[in-house]
Amino acid sequence: MRELDELLDRALETLSSRRLAGEVYVEDLSVFSVSVSGGAIESLESQESRGAGVRVFEGERVGFAYTSDLTPTGLAEAAGLARGLASKADPDVDNALPEADESPTPEPEVHDPAVARIDVQEKIRAARRIEEAARAADPRVKAARRSRYTDVVGRTGVAGTGGMRRAWPFTRIYGSIEVNAEEKGEQQSGWASDFAIRAGGLDPAAIGREAARRALAKLGARRAPTRRTNLVLDPVVASSLVEALSPSLHADNTLKGKSLLASKLGASIGSPKVTLLDDGRAAGGDHSAPYDGEGVATRCTMLIEGGVLKGFLHSSYTSLRMAAAPTGNAARASFKSPPRIAPSNLFLQPTGASRESLLAEAGDGLYITEVMGLHTIDPVSGDFSLGACGLALSGGQPGAPVDRIAVAGNVLGLLRSIGGVAVDLRFMPGGGAGSTTLLLDISVSGS
């Protein structure tokens, strides 16, 4: 971290010597990845990435530039470019340097130094174990593709000329695989992934078995009949659906009139069973961090409580513009990008129900294991049309596979249909989390 601190000092000195008000975001990443197929190494990559993003605030204007040249000359050129871009931007009174704030809760565990010491051969063995477990799950698993292990060791720092300064390390380990299952000439695919923060926290065999289970569960699927029925969402599906709904909760979208929730603050928009949280400090969350991309402390934000809309996700700019409390949701894709609003670990709070009780309540409904078309959800109107597949339920027990299910409707109707959220909360790779979730009286189209 000492080198990162020195780099932040150098960048701040560059800004101060030019009498510029600004901020620097520094990122230092080491990424290792290996893919295997048939037990043989298909690809092995090791990447190092270091750079800085500079924002300059001048006369209610803001400009952004980035550089991989972290010498004084490189930083000075980036600062000069950012200043030039700021001079051409439109003024806005709410363009201001993010202010330092105190962490509202203890910082989450996001770093394990042991990850940097994992032997390369152990990483290769992990990728092989994923594939081996998938193939061993059932003789109908005929092929495995992209059995992959990846780890990330990184450091991030944010500092501003106004006095704000943050720096923190982080580590992640990921595993994933896609498999094909075949029976009587029919082929179906299944994909699974997982992650860990600490060395030894990833279970490669479990990833392989889950991918195999998902592929096998599709074999012999028939088209579901058209009707109104109860749906139970797999935790992975529930997480994906909530993530797809999140743009309607971004404060910048509400300011631009691009959210159907813009005028509904304080209104009931879902069933009493709906409590939606975004917790940037959740223990074990993939997107957990002590601070966001502007150095603002992350926190747990109540977005919907008992079906009532309580707030939005904010950056420093939207917090000022809307006179709202900061939420620590200014994310950066990398040092090459300015901050943008994004959820961290977004999830529906469990209602205390078990998975088994929600399945029983669903009766002869459908258990949904996969959805397609989430990108088609319109954040302005809330309308959607999704494809799905899963299992038919009989008395709450999963049975025969079904596919070619079409579910169309509106986001608000979906939120009002939620009848329960199980306690089996699972944090997902890429952020977000999901539990088994019950939707009541949903119209589905099929045969």
Side-chain angles (χ1 to χ4, degrees):
M1 293 291 287
R2 180 178 177 181
E3 185 180 359
L4 187 66
D5 284 334
E6 292 175 350
L7 179 54
L8 289 174
D9 287 339
R10 191 186 312 151
L12 288 176
E13 174 58 30
T14 298
L15 291 170
S16 298
S17 65
R18 287 159 177 77
R19 297 181 180 180
L20 297 175
E23 153 209 278
V24 60
Y25 173 89
V26 177
E27 191 174 68
D28 186 352
L29 294 179
S30 296
V31 182
F32 178 92
S33 185
V34 58
S35 294
V36 303
S37 179
I41 296 175
E42 199 171 52
S43 67
L44 191 151
E45 303 172 42
S46 181
Q47 302 177 16
E48 302 284 335
S49 173
R50 299 180 72 218
V54 180
R55 283 199 296 172
V56 168
F57 296 79
E58 192 169 58
E60 299 181 356
R61 294 175 167 88
V62 61
F64 172 82
Y66 67 89
T67 181
S68 296
D69 181 357
L70 301 179
T71 64
T73 299
L75 291 168
E77 289 177 352
L81 179 57
R83 183 180 189 179
L85 292 171
S87 68
K88 302 180 184 303
D90 293 330
D92 189 324
V93 69
D94 295 310
N95 280 327
L97 271 171
E99 296 182 0
D101 63 344
E102 296 302 319
S103 304
T105 58
E107 293 185 6
E109 180 184 46
V110 297
H111 176 250
D112 178 8
V115 173
R117 300 192 293 270
I118 299 174
D119 182 73
V120 171
Q121 292 303 316
E122 177 56 31
K123 300 176 185 186
I124 295 171
R125 285 193 292 270
R128 286 175 172 152
R129 284 200 298 272
I130 296 172
E131 183 183 45
E132 290 165 359
R135 291 181 177 275
D138 192 286
R140 292 173 292 174
V141 175
K142 301 298 185 181
R145 299 195 302 273
R146 296 196 294 271
S147 180
R148 192 172 186 88
Y149 167 98
T150 301
D151 63 34
V152 182
V153 177
R155 297 172 297 170
T156 299
V158 189
T161 53
M164 185 272 292
R165 188 185 185 102
R166 306 295 192 193
W168 65 97
F170 61 92
T171 53
R172 295 293 187 273
I173 303 171
Y174 300 94
S176 63
I177 189 172
E178 183 177 7
V179 304
N180 282 350
E182 183 177 346
E183 185 176 45
K184 298 177 181 179
E186 177 191 1
Q187 288 190 356
Q188 295 287 357
S189 65
W191 183 84
S193 65
D194 204 359
F195 78 101
I197 294 169
R198 300 186 62 84
L202 191 73
D203 186 342
I207 297 170
R209 290 192 296 267
E210 182 181 356
R213 176 180 61 80
R214 289 183 175 274
L216 293 165
K218 297 180 186 178
L219 291 171
R222 296 184 178 182
R223 193 163 190 175
T226 297
R227 56 179 169 144
R228 295 194 70 88
T229 190
N230 300 325
L231 305 182
V232 178
L233 306 183
D234 178 89
V236 174
V237 173
S239 174
S240 298
L241 186 59
V242 169
E243 287 282 310
L245 301 180
S246 73
S248 295
L249 293 158
H250 296 182
D252 54 348
N253 285 337
T254 69
L255 289 170
K256 297 171 185 175
K258 295 182 178 180
S259 168
L260 78 160
L261 303 179
S263 61
K264 298 187 183 300
L265 193 63
S268 177
I269 61 169
S271 86
K273 299 291 183 71
V274 176
T275 293
L276 184 65
L277 306 172
D278 185 72
D279 192 351
R281 298 193 164 215
D286 190 18
H287 282 185
S288 292
Y291 308 100
D292 71 1
E294 294 182 308
V296 175
T298 55
R299 63 208 70 201
C300 184
T301 302
M302 181 78 70
L303 298 167
I304 304 173
E305 183 178 19
V308 177
L309 181 62
K310 294 291 187 177
F312 300 99
L313 301 176
H314 286 280
S315 63
S316 291
Y317 170 81
T318 62
S319 291
L320 288 171
R321 182 72 177 271
M322 299 176 70
T327 64
N329 284 99
R332 306 243 191 179
S334 76
F335 69 87
K336 298 178 181 181
S337 304
R340 61 177 180 82
I341 294 175
S344 50
N345 303 300
L346 186 68
F347 61 93
L348 290 167
Q349 185 177 65
T351 58
S354 67
R355 176 179 183 274
E356 292 72 22
S357 67
L358 295 184
L359 287 169
E361 189 173 349
D364 295 335
L366 300 171
Y367 183 75
I368 304 299
T369 58
E370 191 174 316
V371 292
M372 291 74 75
L374 287 171
H375 64 283
T376 66
I377 296 177
D378 189 326
V380 179
S381 69
D383 293 336
F384 64 85
S385 180
L386 307 175
C389 63
L391 303 171
L393 297 175
S394 178
Q397 296 299 313
V402 291
D403 61 8
R404 290 168 287 178
I405 303 165
V407 183
N410 187 273
V411 166
L412 296 181
L414 199 67
L415 291 174
R416 294 186 182 108
S417 74
I418 293 177
V421 182
V423 295
D424 56 350
L425 184 68
R426 173 185 172 186
F427 289 98
M428 305 296 173
S435 306
T436 301
T437 302
L438 173 65
L439 306 181
L440 298 172
D441 194 31
I442 300 296
S443 177
V444 298
S445 298
S447 60

